Amino acid sequence: MIDIRTYLELEVQLHKRLRKTWKPIAAKLQAKVVDAIDQGDFAKAYSLAKDIDLTSVGEKNKQYIKYMLLACANFGARMATDSKTTFVSAGAHDKLMESVAENFCKSLELNATVQVYKAVVQSIAKVQEELKTVEKAEKPRYVREFVDFTVEGDKIMQLISSLHTSRLAVWGFAAEADLLGLTTYKLSAVLDGRTSAFCRAINGKVFKVDDARKSINEILSVQNPDDVKSLQPWPKQDKASMEKYAEMTPEELTAAGLHIPPFHPGCRTMLVRVGKAPRTEKPSVPKEREKLPKVVSTKETFEEPIVTGK
């Protein structure tokens, strides 16, 4: 079985690419907002906050996003077979990757923009309220504590990257398993100090490939990224909910949408085959096919912070 760190590194590199694009945009806008606050012009600060927009982060990196998501799909496919060359890697998936990349960009344009804007407006309001009770000379102290645009953007971009890479790995596994004639799969969680209660409990449970394939295809075909919340709800992590989940059968968990990851932000649970992969002819790879981006393993990439569930 291939090393899951390869998959995690794909997620990290995607997030790094987005962050590299966002950082100068955020720094430039933040400087203007902080300057307005320092001058006591809060009306201008609020007005400038409306200029927050992460649309260009997705637009400038759309092709890279597509390639990295396809790489994640191929990783998932390799979890279903012993072959280095998979049916997924040999196929043509431009239409699907274009659609998923488009939803990825929509999430940056809408969800990420809204989250950063809210954080900035709340920070401006906090500074404004605090300055009412202090002397003018103390004003810079509060400005230095102002929310960091880059950090706020990083949080939501990391979440979006994590969710999409996880779903593409699920799609890759389900597509490959279906072509191989596999009927079941089991969930495999990374068990360490960051493992969520649900992932620890769901580890090793067996589900039907057909159910996973149908669910992930529906999830990836939504037009509005927010619609995924109803199709794939995150499990609650409190004690009462965990006791309830423990009593549910695989069929009941499937009906509740709790049979495929991600189960929370930064989820590292993967689909793996049950038993040995069946023998099959090696699929041919078109010569004209563009190569996936090379993934370079470094100590630093494995130490990147990954958001965990509750």
Side-chain angles (χ1 to χ4, degrees), residues 257-272:
L258 300 176
H259 58 305
I260 57 173
F263 298 116
H264 55 75
C267 184
R268 297 169 295 161
T269 295
M270 305 293 296
L271 275 62
V272 298

Side-chain angles (χ1 to χ4, degrees), residues 186-205:
K186 66 179 179 179
L187 292 174
S188 177
V190 176
L191 302 178
D192 57 22
R194 296 192 288 116
T195 308
S196 69
F198 183 82
C199 288
R200 192 174 294 275
I202 204 77
N203 182 51
K205 288 191 178 295

